[in-house]
Amino acid sequence: MNTLDPGDIFAKYPEEVLVERKADGVLLITMNRPERLNALTMPMFQVMSDIWADVDRDPETRVAVITGAGRGFCTGMDVRQPDPSLDDAIALAETERRRITTLLNMDKPVISAINGPAVGWGLSMALLADISVAAEDAVLSDGHTRIGVVAGDHSSLIWPLLVGMAKSKYYQLTSAKLTGIEAERIGLVSLVEPKERVLERALEIASDLARGSQQAIRWTKRSLNTGWLTNALPQQELSAALETIGFASADYAEARQAFREGRAPAYPSARGKGHSFEQSPAHL
């Protein structure tokens, strides 16, 4: 449980998100649904958007570290919760826009300690951190196309910049999995460590940054993000809008039903049914 003073800016957050203040102004944020590999419920998306605005405005925080409880980092949206409506999906897209914009515009460094599986939104959170430390055996996957929606959390924004277009297209179109070792080899993550060392290493880096010149560190982050990332936000918003539309598709409904039934999905669009590009009125 959170052990913060009642008046602390982070004391309001639920048990699914643990917040701990470390020495030197380091803030440790732990996604805390270990029994579900820290998959997010719909309310948690809002929490994980709001928290970065609080990190940005909190005068005591110099560096934030984010990790997951138990054996996983975060496996994205919890597909066992009720199907989101289109209105839910639109609200989620707006929530995600705020999260990504805040992460890219805040000057304080964020470090991800990827201690286990990071999929979908979880991989988004891991890669949008300024420094990412992954476990050697952590499983990373974009995952979106496997549930019938566009890779919209972060993929078009950050993947091509990190690993180039060829690798981006392969891993995003196929939702292929890669280990932490492979992710570091292709430049997707900053560092790789044995699983038991991941959080320790992330906190070491955070403490080093927190004791450094805050002006120099923060303005360096700002100069790197401006242009390279912030100017690409319209591209990310397009992918997010397309992902939102996908939540209303027959393919997404089939993917969720297949998951519940423990079988491989039979996507309607792959059988010439439902919503597919071939059936769209492109000539109009």
Side-chain angles (χ1 to χ4, degrees):
M1 60 180 294
N2 289 331
T3 56
L4 302 170
D5 293 335
D8 194 293
I9 191 173
F10 298 105
K12 63 187 177 186
Y13 287 103
E15 291 300 310
E16 289 83 5
V17 181
L18 302 180
V19 182
E20 182 180 355
R21 291 192 182 276
K22 300 288 190 178
D24 302 317
V26 174
L27 191 77
L28 175 60
I29 301 168
T30 304
M31 295 172 284
N32 186 38
R33 296 187 74 218
E35 73 286 354
R36 298 291 300 134
L37 290 177
N38 304 309
L40 271 59
T41 61
M42 291 301 285
M44 284 181 69
F45 284 102
Q46 182 67 54
V47 169
M48 294 309 301
S49 174
D50 292 344
I51 201 165
W52 301 112
D54 284 339
V55 168
D56 195 26
R57 69 170 63 98
D58 177 38
E60 297 181 40
T61 299
R62 297 179 182 177
V63 183
V65 175
I66 183 164
T67 192
R71 61 187 181 89
F73 183 75
C74 174
T75 53
M77 179 187 290
D78 191 340
V79 296
R80 293 189 181 182
Q81 64 187 328
D83 291 350
S85 66
L86 183 56
D87 283 344
D88 291 335
I90 292 171
L92 178 57
E94 179 60 20
T95 297
E96 282 295 280
R97 184 192 66 80
R98 289 195 300 272
R99 175 181 72 99
I100 292 172
T101 300
T102 302
L103 281 169
L104 296 186
N105 283 294
M106 62 186 283
D107 288 341
K108 296 175 184 179
V110 177
I111 301 172
S112 59
I114 312 166
N115 54 308
V119 181
W121 185 98
L123 187 57
S124 165
M125 191 62 248
L127 299 185
L128 288 174
D130 303 296
I131 298 173
S132 50
V133 184
E136 293 172 335
D137 61 349
V139 176
L140 284 62
S141 174
D142 188 279
H144 284 83
T145 60
R146 293 296 183 185
I147 59 170
V149 295
V150 171
D153 285 324
H154 68 295
S155 303
S156 64
L157 178 71
I158 193 70
W159 273 75
L161 187 59
L162 294 176
V163 301
M165 192 61 76
K167 292 291 187 184
S168 297
K169 286 184 176 180
Y170 172 73
Y171 283 107
Q172 289 177 40
L173 294 178
T174 66
S175 288
K177 298 175 182 178
L178 66 165
T179 65
I181 290 176
E182 177 67 6
E184 195 234 9
R185 185 188 71 80
I186 67 175
L188 191 65
V189 299
S190 306
L191 301 171
V192 68
E193 293 281 349
K195 186 179 183 69
E196 63 275 10
R197 273 276 296 159
V198 169
L199 181 57
E200 181 182 1
R201 182 72 175 111
L203 289 171
E204 288 172 357
I205 297 168
S207 292
D208 180 62
L209 291 176
R211 292 191 296 266
S213 167
Q214 296 306 290
Q215 175 177 294
I217 290 167
R218 295 178 187 184
W219 287 2
T220 296
K221 171 179 173 175
R222 185 190 300 181
S223 65
L224 288 169
N225 279 8
T226 301
W228 289 107
L229 287 170
T230 56
N231 285 359
L233 281 171
Q235 181 179 355
Q236 189 278 328
E237 291 195 11
L238 170 62
S239 66
L242 294 172
E243 180 184 10
T244 300
I245 294 171
F247 284 121
S249 71
D251 280 356
Y252 179 66
E254 163 59 15
R256 289 179 65 92
Q257 187 61 31
F259 177 85
R260 295 182 182 116
E261 296 175 2
R263 60 174 173 81
Y267 300 110
S269 66
R271 295 179 287 119
K273 300 178 181 180
H275 297 289
S276 68
F277 291 113
E278 289 77 17
Q279 292 176 314
S280 63
H283 60 284
L284 297 181

